[in-house]
Structures are given as C-alpha cells and as structure tokens.
Amino acid sequence: MSELNSGRASSNKGALSTLITVYFFWGFFAAGNGVFIPFCKQYFNLDQFQSQLIDFAFYLAYYVGALLLYLLASGFSYDVIARLGYKKSIVFGLIFSAFGAGIMILAVNAKTFPGMLLGWFTVALGFSLQQTAANPFTAMLGSPETGAHRITLGGGVNSFGTAIGPIVVASALFGVAKFDDSQIKTLGLDKVSMLYGLVCALFVVVAVMFQMSKKLPDGKYTAVTEKSPKAIAALLIMTLLLVAVFVPVFYSYTIDTTTEAMKQSVDMTRMKWLSLGLVSIVGTLLYSLTSAKKNPTGWGAMRYPQLVLGMLAIFTYVGVEVTIQSNLGELLKQPDFGGFKSSEVAPYISLYWGSLMIGRWTGSIKVFEPGDTLKNVLLFIVPLVAFGVVLAVNQVTGYEVGHLYAYVVCVAVQGIAFYVSKDKPATTLIIFSVLGVAAMVVGLLTKGTISTYAFLSGGLFCSIMWPSIFALSIAGLGNLTSQGSAFLIMMILGGAIIPPLQGKLADLPAIGIHQSYWIPAIGFLYLAWFGMAVKKILLKQGINYDADNGAGH
C-alpha cells in the first residue's frame, strides 16, 4: 500500500476530491428515504411498520453485501476488494447501484412497492461494496495521522448529500405544491422516474470518472486473512435466525387486516417476531463475546471484546440515527406536533440530516490543522455556517425556514460539547450519547416545537459517533483490523431492524408514534455505556486511546 502515501500531497488532494464524490451519493439516497416513507405510506396504503420496510430493504443490503465479501475472503480465501483494488471495487459498486436505480425506474412506472424495495436493496448493495473500499482508501490517501479526519471530511460531504436529498426527493414527488395526504394517490410519478434516471446516469458517469482518473491509484494490496470459522458460524447462525424471524413478518403482509380483531392479532404477531429478531442479533453477539473470552481460537477479530461490543454499538448507532428520522414524518402529522402534511415535512427531514452535517463539518476542522486558538473559534463558527447552509438550501427551494431559527440553541449546545470533549474519541462518545439520551427524554416528556427540536437534535449528537465507535472498536486489532472493519460494516444492519421495530411500536394504540421514541433513547443509553466500557477494556490491554489518539473523531 506504500504507493498511496508516496505521491505528492497535492496529488493526494486531487485523488481525495475525486474519491469523496461517492460519499455524497450514500447520503443523498439514505436521507431521501425519509421523504419516501410517509409518501409511500399514503400512496400504497401502508401502516407505519410497512412503511419502514424501505429502511429494512436499504440497510439489510449493507449487511448482506459485507457478509458475502467476508465469507468469500475468510471462507474461500478470495478477497474481492484485494483482487480488484479499491479503485475498481468502487467502480463495480457504482455500476451495481446504477442497475438498482434502473430497477427503481421500472418499479415506479409499474407502481409496485415490492419492486421499489428491490430497487432500494440493489442500490444499497452497490453502496456496501463502495463503502467497504472507500473508507480505507480515503484513510490511505495521505499521512496516517490524519486518516481518521479524512474519513470525517468524507462524512461531511456525505452529510451535505443528506441535507439536500430530502428537498430534491420532495420536489420530485410534490413539486412546489403542498398536497393533502388524501391527494397523494392522485399524483403522477413521472418526475420520480426522471430523478432516478438522472441518478442512474450520474452513477455511470462517476464510475467512468473513477476508471479514467490518473490521480487515483489502483489501491491493490496483498490480503492477509486469518481463518475465523467460529465467527463465520456465529454470523451464519444469526443470519438464519433473522430469516426465520422475518418470514412470518413478511407473511403477515399478505393477511387481510380489514377487521379490527385481525389487525390487532397481526400487530402483536409482528411485534413478537421483530423483538425476537433483535434478541437474535444481541444474543449472538453476546454469546460470541463470552465464548471468545473462554477460548479465542477460531474467532479471528471477534476474540477482541472491544470489537464485539463495538459491533453492537454500530448496530445501535445506525439504528438510532435512521429510526429518529424514519418515524419523524408520522410524528409531525400529529396535531400536537403541527399536523403537517406529507408534502410539508421535507424541511424537518433535511434539518435532521443537516444536523449530522453540522457535527461532521465541525469534526473535520482538525483535517486542516489549525492552531489551538483558531480551532476553538472554528468550533463555534463552523456549526453556525453549516446551519446556515441547511437553512439556505431549504429557502432556495421554496420552503419557509423562519420557524427553524430557534434550533440554533441546539447547535450551540453541540458546539460546547465539542469544546469539552477535546477530540478524545471515548470522551466524545460518552458526552454525545448522554446528550442524546437527554434530548430524547425531553422530546418524550414535551410536545410541540420543544419536543420536535429535541428529537431533531438527535442528529447533532449522532454526527460523530461512527468514527468514534469505529476507532475505538478496531484499536489494538493489529493485522486483524481489516477483518474487524468488515464486521463493523455488517452491523449497519441496525438501520434495517430498529426502524421497523419502532414503527410497529407506533402502530400499537397503547404506545403510539410519540412514545415510540423510547427506542432511540434506550439506544443512546447503550452507546454511553459502551463509551465507558470500551475505555476500560482498552486500558486493560495497555491502550489509552483518549491519550494517544486525541484526533480520533
């Protein structure tokens, strides 16, 4: 891999600017789902759980893709990314995503929800290959000391995509008009077909750019893979358990629920099986943790407790990040939260994802190596600038933003949290997780604007969790770092499991959409515990990560 760091800095900067275009696509698609969910709920007459199948299909693809790559590398000694190189892996991933966008066009024209789910799954399957290659590729385009910050910078570009994705998708669905939900079924989907046609073309164009780029090295490397039969067995068992759980869940999709008694029966059945799905994942990981502690042979990277707990942390973090916004559209329809129409929620979805952009832009400051004084000033200026960008994007596209100005208070709280955390990954994770718990509790105990802002601020506190959790989880893994990274990528599965679980809670009359937000509150609580636990685990291994790696996020 020395070729990646041997070139001139200017060359690497040019290569980096080409590479981070894929980060934009990931964010654009993921955030656009937040507008599609309430739209599809009305257009296809779905309940809240069924609408969350969009996220299920999208994020399940990450797990499937990463698992297949791992099985090929560890089980069959065929490392796809090592053979192709990072560059070609991204090219193939883009082509696969273009194929998924083509499926979306056909499904939209046929007005079939299952077909659209297949399209989202296929696009994300391409993303899983892109992301598995792009993260280490980004880290290696420059000095190792600033590798984590380059990934955070890529995350900032990703978050810009999340900020404008909801606005673009809403414009394609609704134009400039504000439709009543009862009118949604009358809408034509020609603009949506055009949107995905454009996206398909962009995937192909960027793939050609990557292939022809002279600035990007091939990124080929010699794979060093330790056999891990016990880890393979655990993951395959977990996959089979998930299949067994979701077969009856999907079967319930075909049951006639026109009678109230049948609807309640189906609701309870789905709740039971979804809960078993969550138990299957958590149980498998905890079993792996205890078994590897007794006999580490055959577990590969999963013999390290920081990695296994980190896998559960990534699962929880992605699930929390996604479920807050995926259920937000339904929350905002409630009279106590403004009674908004599906065509009016895009600015809030944009602000939520924009909150992640605010945090990631702030977390990227150290990439530019400012002095301490300038850095402290930028900790408060950059979030305000990013907040202004989010407001400007909404205003330019015709949305009223005056009612969002007061959110600057939440942005200021995040700025203080950055200052206090001092660039220490474990400390940062703990502080932001505690703030996340507090925000969710405030949202649960209040209504109206205060509650809405509290839930939206979950995006601010999620913003730096990926790099912090990732860095802490792979610390001390040595030559098993690549394998550990693959395990962590698989746990994006949280975005497929947790949103439908919250959606089903929201469908239960005794709970409802507002109180269903206890789900992300509990998730933030685990992440706070993980930050404290992993710090102690690493100290026992002689690693003081906060002291040695202050640049962690």
Side-chain angles (χ1 to χ4, degrees):
M1 298 302 299
S2 59
E3 64 175 297
L4 294 176
N5 290 322
S6 61
R8 296 175 300 169
S10 59
S11 175
N12 281 347
K13 287 180 181 178
L16 182 63
S17 64
T18 302
L19 178 57
I20 60 176
T21 56
V22 295
Y23 285 80
F24 176 86
F25 284 133
W26 307 338
F28 180 90
F29 257 87
N33 290 351
V35 175
F36 265 114
I37 286 170
F39 172 83
C40 288
K41 181 178 180 180
Q42 298 297 325
Y43 196 87
F44 295 104
N45 195 29
L46 310 174
D47 62 24
Q48 188 63 13
F49 161 75
Q50 291 168 332
S51 71
Q52 299 301 306
L53 293 178
I54 292 173
D55 279 334
F56 176 81
F58 190 80
Y59 291 99
L60 178 66
Y62 278 93
Y63 174 72
V64 172
L67 179 62
L68 289 175
L69 289 173
Y70 167 67
L71 291 176
L72 285 171
S74 184
F76 299 94
S77 300
Y78 189 88
D79 192 317
V80 174
I81 294 177
R83 297 289 184 93
L84 291 175
Y86 291 133
K87 180 178 176 179
K88 283 189 176 180
S89 295
I90 293 172
V91 170
F92 280 110
L94 286 163
I95 296 300
F96 212 88
S97 293
F99 180 64
I103 293 175
M104 282 292 294
I105 295 171
L106 296 175
V108 167
N109 287 333
K111 298 182 180 180
T112 166
F113 184 60
M116 292 174 72
L117 294 179
L118 177 62
W120 274 304
F121 179 87
T122 308
V123 168
L125 203 58
F127 285 177
S128 70
L129 180 57
Q130 295 169 40
Q131 188 158 335
T132 303
N135 280 323
F137 203 11
T138 303
M140 293 173 181
L141 286 176
S143 67
E145 292 77 12
T146 56
H149 297 293
R150 282 191 296 280
I151 294 175
T152 305
L153 180 62
V157 175
N158 171 275
S159 293
F160 181 65
T162 66
I164 70 171
I167 302 301
V168 174
V169 171
S171 296
L173 290 172
F174 307 111
V176 296
K178 299 295 182 285
F179 289 89
D180 289 329
D181 286 355
S182 60
Q183 297 176 288
I184 284 179
K185 289 187 178 182
T186 67
L187 293 176
L189 299 181
D190 294 345
K191 289 184 179 178
V192 179
S193 296
M194 291 174 61
L195 171 64
Y196 279 100
L198 176 61
V199 168
C200 181
L202 284 174
F203 281 141
V204 174
V205 168
V206 175
V208 173
M209 283 174 49
F210 265 79
Q211 183 62 31
M212 297 182 65
S213 174
K214 302 298 183 183
K215 295 178 180 179
L216 282 170
D218 289 334
K220 291 185 177 181
Y221 61 94
T222 302
V224 179
T225 304
E226 178 179 310
K227 295 294 183 181
S228 50
K230 292 180 181 178
I232 290 176
L235 290 169
L236 288 177
I237 289 171
M238 186 176 76
T239 302
L240 291 174
L241 287 172
L242 288 174
V243 171
V245 163
F246 278 96
V247 165
V249 169
F250 281 108
Y251 173 73
S252 71
Y253 185 81
T254 64
I255 297 175
D256 182 6
T257 56
T258 52
T259 66
E260 186 60 29
M262 184 58 73
K263 182 179 184 302
Q264 291 180 7
S265 175
V266 169
D267 281 346
M268 293 311 298
T269 298
R270 286 176 177 167
M271 192 70 228
K272 178 183 69 176
W273 287 108
L274 285 168
S275 299
L276 283 174
L278 183 62
V279 169
S280 299
I281 294 166
V282 175
T284 301
L285 291 177
L286 293 181
Y287 171 79
S288 302
L289 179 68
T290 56
S291 296
K293 187 175 181 180
K294 294 176 183 177
N295 181 8
T297 304
W299 282 101
M302 286 181 70
R303 67 172 172 260
Y304 291 93
Q306 64 266 37
L307 177 69
V308 179
L309 292 176
M311 290 169 69
L312 187 53
I314 287 289
F315 174 87
T316 303
Y317 148 70
V318 175
V320 166
E321 176 188 274
V322 174
T323 199
I324 291 174
Q325 67 87 33
S326 292
N327 289 282
L328 189 62
E330 182 64 20
L331 180 76
L332 293 172
K333 292 180 183 179
Q334 308 308 308
D336 289 334
F337 293 86
F340 293 96
K341 305 165 188 174
S342 295
S343 58
E344 296 174 326
V345 302
Y348 291 93
I349 304 295
S350 174
L351 181 56
Y352 174 78
W353 288 111
S355 295
L356 277 94
M357 183 184 81
I358 292 168
R360 288 169 181 170
W361 282 18
T362 307
S364 302
I365 289 173
K366 202 166 182 178
V367 173
F368 304 100
E369 302 179 353
D372 289 342
T373 301
L374 177 59
K375 177 189 166 187
N376 289 335
V377 172
L378 291 175
L379 283 177
F380 292 92
I381 292 178
V382 170
L384 294 176
V385 171
F387 181 47
V389 169
V390 176
L391 295 179
V393 167
N394 279 274
Q395 193 162 39
V396 165
T397 50
Y399 287 97
E400 172 59 41
V401 297
H403 58 293
L404 302 178
Y405 290 160
Y407 189 70
V408 72
V409 175
C410 300
V411 175
V413 170
Q414 188 204 50
I416 295 169
F418 267 114
Y419 179 79
V420 173
S421 65
K422 302 295 184 185
D423 286 328
K424 298 178 178 180
T427 302
T428 299
L429 182 60
I430 294 167
I431 290 173
F432 276 63
S433 297
V434 169
L435 287 172
V437 173
M440 295 303 103
V441 171
V442 169
L444 285 159
L445 298 180
T446 59
K447 295 179 180 179
T449 301
I450 292 177
S451 181
T452 301
Y453 281 0
F455 290 140
L456 287 173
S457 70
L460 293 170
F461 306 128
C462 281
S463 60
I464 49 71
M465 287 188 174
W466 175 274
S468 294
I469 295 170
F470 214 97
L472 292 165
S473 300
I474 63 175
L477 266 60
N479 63 359
L480 291 174
T481 298
S482 178
Q483 188 181 100
S485 298
F487 290 148
L488 292 172
I489 293 292
M490 290 179 204
M491 290 299 103
I492 292 177
L493 177 67
I497 304 299
I498 294 179
L501 182 61
Q502 183 178 348
K504 182 38 58 190
L505 276 177
D507 281 332
L508 299 178
I511 297 176
I513 186 66
H514 185 196
Q515 293 305 308
S516 73
Y517 272 83
W518 279 109
I519 292 289
I522 294 169
F524 276 123
L525 192 62
Y526 171 74
L527 293 170
W529 176 86
F530 170 75
M532 293 182 283
V534 75
K535 191 173 182 179
K536 293 179 181 179
I537 290 169
L538 292 176
L539 282 172
K540 287 182 180 179
Q541 297 175 12
I543 304 170
N544 188 345
Y545 204 87
D546 270 0
D548 299 336
N549 295 276
H553 74 256

